[in-house]
Amino acid sequence: MTLRLYEIYIAGMEMDYKTILYAEEGAAATITLNRPEKLNSFTAEMHGELKLALDRVRTGGARALVLTGAGRGFCAGQDLGERAVTMRAGAEVDLSKTLSANYNPLILAIRALELPVIAAVNGVAAGAGANFALAADIVLAARSASFIQAFARLGLVPDAGGTYHLPRLVGHARGMGLAMLAEPLAAERAAEWGLIWKAVDDDKLMDEARALALKFAAGPTLGYARIKRALNASAGNTLAAQLALEAELQRECGHSADYREGVAAFLEKRPPSFTGR
Ligand code: LHQ
């Protein structure tokens, strides 16, 4: 089977996931981490299923994605009981292997998705679970949720993009404090610090996330993808390089049907009807 045919086959299949849930409402997809009894901590199986689900989002018709967790937690990071990360007497464990095989591709896949990704953080987000949320484009959190860079409690360094995103989002001093102290940061404080977009009442979280996803799903997807590309490239670029990137991306957006529609709708004083192309 060619790769494209295989992708169509996968996208059309109803997958029988064990550790996540996958749902689509129109063009808005939702992936729910679903091991609530272990606060949705990551296992190798969950990584495999997340990869399949993200491939499905990437190759199917989705135009927005919500990431959330089942039960009272969002995600408690790596499942510390899993064989590969468990300390055994005399056994050497190479943690870089699980990062290279699972976490790093996961974070890069979320960042590379050409559509808006919303994290709806419904409860505690710890370790790689916190940094999984921070890889999203918009992070909403329930007021009762908290973010914990739990790694230092285990003698580890923040991974899954933590050392990249923390200082960029909250600055060096706060990033260092979060990483070194490994204390919970409440959702509201996280929003005040700029770690996340917004804290919302617990009972409103999923309604807000859904409304935002549906809004994005009816929006100019091609443009959103380029906003994402531009902002994500910014931290590593000079001003001149970033201006050149903006010009290149704006050239592409300028050729889009949505740009023509946006301008026409403005001039005709009506709401735009975007197709995402
Ligand atoms: C868990 C976990 C968990 C298993 C709660 N695993 N069961 C990447 C690559 C390779 C190696 C290492 O790491 C990494 C990246 C990382 O993510 S390292 C960081 C790993 N995560 C943590 O260190 C957080 C560990 N969890 C906690 O500190 C607490 O559970 C938090 C603060 C998240 C929540 O506390 P509570 O609300 O008091 O809940 P709890 O502790 O009672 O947890 C509920 C259940 O979930 C409990 O199971 P049980 O059978 O006793 O009811 C926990 O054992 C289980 N659980 N996190 N990461």
Side-chain angles (χ1 to χ4, degrees):
M1 216 183 299
T2 65
L3 184 60
R4 183 66 194 136
L5 278 176
Y6 174 72
E7 284 173 350
I8 291 167
Y9 170 72
I10 289 286
M13 267 171 42
E14 268 318 305
M15 299 294 297
D16 188 16
Y17 298 113
K18 295 193 175 65
T19 63
I20 64 171
L21 301 170
Y22 181 89
E24 282 175 8
E25 179 181 1
T30 299
I31 296 175
T32 305
L33 306 183
N34 192 29
R35 301 180 66 235
E37 69 291 351
K38 296 292 175 195
L39 299 182
N40 304 317
S41 52
F42 290 115
T43 58
E45 183 179 32
M46 186 188 274
H47 276 291
E49 294 190 345
L50 278 171
K51 184 180 182 321
L52 285 177
L54 289 171
D55 282 350
R56 179 172 177 170
V57 170
R58 185 175 54 80
T59 58
R63 290 169 61 189
L65 171 64
V66 176
L67 302 172
T68 192
R72 72 177 177 90
F74 174 74
C75 176
Q78 169 64 40
D79 183 324
L80 296 172
E82 197 172 54
R83 189 179 164 78
V85 296
T86 304
M87 295 257 260
R88 302 198 187 284
E92 291 276 336
V93 182
D94 183 348
L95 297 184
S96 77
K97 287 191 178 150
T98 173
L99 292 178
S100 305
N102 295 326
Y103 289 91
N104 298 358
L106 171 66
I107 299 303
L108 291 172
I110 293 168
R111 291 290 293 254
L113 271 181
E114 299 228 308
L115 44 83
V117 180
I118 301 158
V121 180
N122 52 299
V124 66
N131 296 334
F132 171 65
L134 298 184
D137 304 311
I138 303 274
V139 184
L140 303 178
R143 243 174 262 290
S144 68
S146 60
F147 296 80
I148 314 175
Q149 294 293 324
F151 308 88
R153 295 182 183 177
L154 305 172
L156 295 178
V157 61
D159 58 25
T163 61
Y164 182 90
H165 286 123
L166 287 175
R168 284 173 170 79
L169 290 168
V170 298
H172 183 85
R174 284 172 168 168
M176 195 64 94
L178 290 171
M180 292 269 194
L181 297 173
E183 288 171 357
L185 183 72
E188 243 163 293
R189 178 66 63 87
E192 283 163 22
W193 283 11
L195 186 72
I196 66 169
W197 174 240
K198 203 174 169 190
V200 301
D201 290 343
D202 287 23
D203 59 351
K204 302 277 178 356
L205 176 72
M206 292 317 293
D207 287 346
E208 282 223 20
R210 177 173 173 269
L212 198 53
L214 291 174
K215 176 185 157 78
F216 281 140
T221 311
L222 185 148
Y224 289 145
R226 281 154 186 77
I227 291 174
K228 186 166 169 170
R229 220 185 285 169
L231 264 79
N232 290 341
S234 170
N237 265 346
T238 60
L239 174 60
Q242 193 65 17
L243 287 169
L245 177 64
E246 287 175 3
E248 170 60 18
L249 296 175
Q250 208 68 303
R251 186 183 61 76
E252 292 171 13
C253 291
H255 292 144
S256 70
D258 282 342
Y259 171 62
R260 283 195 297 280
E261 168 62 9
V263 173
F266 175 78
L267 295 176
E268 292 161 21
K269 300 189 187 302
R270 60 170 173 82
S273 175
F274 291 122
T275 59
R277 290 187 295 275

